[in-house]
């Protein structure tokens, strides 16, 4: 495992870390505390020292599991996202009063004295133009309840606007099907010493190359319920790519890259960008951890391979994805 610095936090974190949206069970499945604890332990054994959670994941069980683990392993860092556990999502959920309450609830739920990093969980664009939102985070930082803060975003423009404030990191969708963040935002993040956490790195599983046109997902899985943005931003499901288009593009990538391990290649692709602090693929069971962490040891993609990714993106994905996010 290789390690990178997470922006101005100074944390040295594993370049392949762990997202915990599906920790302890796939979407819609009952939460398994044992699976959650075992998954975190296996990740740690593979060199992972950074976990990304949220107050709304698994009705708070994800935060509890991560809290137990980091209490027992003080060398592990974490971020938790706040503001989206109460739906429907509105700008009001990110006002100072709500943010203070969410931070206190996360502190209690995780059983820690301070939160390593708090990310605003995909606030509406108008929130970035309300400085009181970020001044409240500054106050929480001064009080010692949080050590750092940042944002999880849907769009590149939101990430750029967030850098008007004292953010330490941005969590953004970046993968072989979502290339636009690398154009301008990555350079700006490096200039401002803002860490980048690459979320949805496998495009909700499309970039494993294992899905087919008739693949079925569980009735409560967001890949069933949010294909058209019914629950939250459409871009969080399959990175906003039309499903059948994504299945074909993934197969084209496998063929032209000459690999049966598209998931590993896709994660390694993200790590080709030095602006990225870590990629945060998810795992619901310990057996999925090695699939993710091996990406840190894979060889770099060649210039030809990088070109193949760009060509397939331009031909099959860019319109309309590049223009929407």
């Amino acid at each position: 495992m290789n390690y990178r610095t997470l922006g101005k936090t100074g944390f040295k974190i594993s370049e392949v870390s762990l997202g915990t949206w599906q920790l302890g069970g796939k979407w819609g499945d009952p939460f398994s505390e044992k699976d959650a604890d075992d998954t975190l332990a296996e990740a740690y054994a593979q060199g992972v020292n950074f976990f990304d959670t949220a107050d709304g994941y698994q009705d708070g069980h994800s935060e509890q599991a991560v809290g137990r683990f980091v209490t027992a392993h003080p060398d592990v860092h974490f971020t938790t996202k706040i503001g989206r556990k109460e739906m429907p999502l509105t700008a009001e959920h990110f006002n100072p009063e709500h943010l203070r309450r969410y931070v206190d609830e996360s502190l209690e739920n995780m059983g820690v004295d301070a939160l390593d990093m708090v990310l605003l969980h995909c606030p509406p664009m108008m929130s970035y133009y309300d400085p009181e939102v970020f001044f409240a985070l500054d106050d929480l930082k001064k009080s010692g309840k949080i050590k750092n803060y940042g944002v999880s975003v849907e769009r590149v423009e939101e990430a750029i606007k967030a850098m008007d404030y004292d953010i330490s990191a941005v969590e953004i969708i970046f993968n072989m099907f979502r290339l636009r963040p690398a154009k301008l935002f990555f350079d700006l993040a490096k200039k401002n010493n803002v860490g980048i956490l690459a979320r949805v790195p496998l495009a909700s599983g499309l970039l494993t190359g294992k899905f087919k046109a008739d693949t079925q997902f569980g009735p409560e899985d967001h890949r069933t319920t949010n294909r058209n943005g019914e629950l939250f931003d459409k871009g969080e499901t399959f990175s906003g790519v039309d499903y059948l288009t994504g299945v074909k593009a993934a197969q084209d990538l496998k063929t032209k890259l000459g690999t049966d391990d598209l998931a590993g290649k896709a994660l390694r692709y993200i790590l080709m960008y030095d602006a990225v602090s870590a990629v945060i693929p998810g795992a619901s069971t310990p057996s999925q951890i090695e699939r993710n962490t091996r990406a840190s040891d894979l060889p770099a993609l060649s210039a030809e391979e990088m070109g193949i990714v760009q060509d397939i993106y331009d031909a099959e994905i860019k319109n309309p994805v590049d223009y929407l996010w």
Side-chain angles (χ1 to χ4, degrees), residues 243-297:
Y243 179 71
L244 294 180
T245 299
V247 169
K248 179 183 181 300
Q251 292 303 315
D252 289 346
L253 282 167
K254 286 180 68 175
T255 299
K256 293 185 178 181
L257 291 173
T259 182
D260 289 324
D261 180 22
L262 183 59
K265 189 75 78 170
L267 294 176
R268 186 65 183 87
Y269 173 85
I270 294 169
L271 296 175
M272 294 293 293
Y273 293 83
D274 62 0
V276 172
S277 304
V279 58
I280 49 172
S284 57
T285 62
S287 62
Q288 297 170 343
I289 293 296
E290 192 276 333
R291 174 201 70 183
N292 297 334
T293 56
R294 68 171 180 251
S296 184
D297 298 321

Side-chain angles (χ1 to χ4, degrees), residues 126-184:
M126 65 184 70
S127 296
Y128 296 91
Y129 291 86
D130 182 358
E132 295 302 320
V133 171
F134 295 88
F135 295 164
L137 294 171
D138 288 330
D139 289 341
L140 286 164
K141 189 174 177 181
K142 291 175 184 175
S143 73
K145 290 185 176 182
I146 67 176
K147 298 177 183 178
N148 303 275
Y149 69 81
V151 291
S152 181
V153 303
E154 304 289 3
R155 291 174 170 81
V156 170
E157 286 75 15
E158 294 165 346
I160 292 173
K161 178 59 180 172
M163 287 190 288
D164 283 349
Y165 308 101
D166 188 28
I167 62 170
S168 295
V170 169
E171 192 172 287
I172 192 168
I173 297 174
F174 179 63
N175 57 50
M176 286 178 168
F177 287 169
R178 186 73 77 85
L179 301 187
R180 185 168 173 250
K183 290 181 182 177
L184 171 63

Side-chain angles (χ1 to χ4, degrees), residues 7 10 20 53 124 175 193 202 209 216 253 258 261 263 272 278 281 292 316:
T20 65
T53 186
N175 57 50
N193 195 23
L202 297 178
Q216 298 294 310
L253 282 167
D261 180 22
M272 294 293 293
N292 297 334
E316 303 184 43

Side-chain angles (χ1 to χ4, degrees), residues 27 32 34 48 63 109 119 238 241 281 286 291 311:
W27 297 288
S32 168
K34 181 179 186 304
V48 174
E63 270 195 338
N109 200 35
L119 301 179
F238 303 128
V241 177
R291 174 201 70 183
D311 289 345

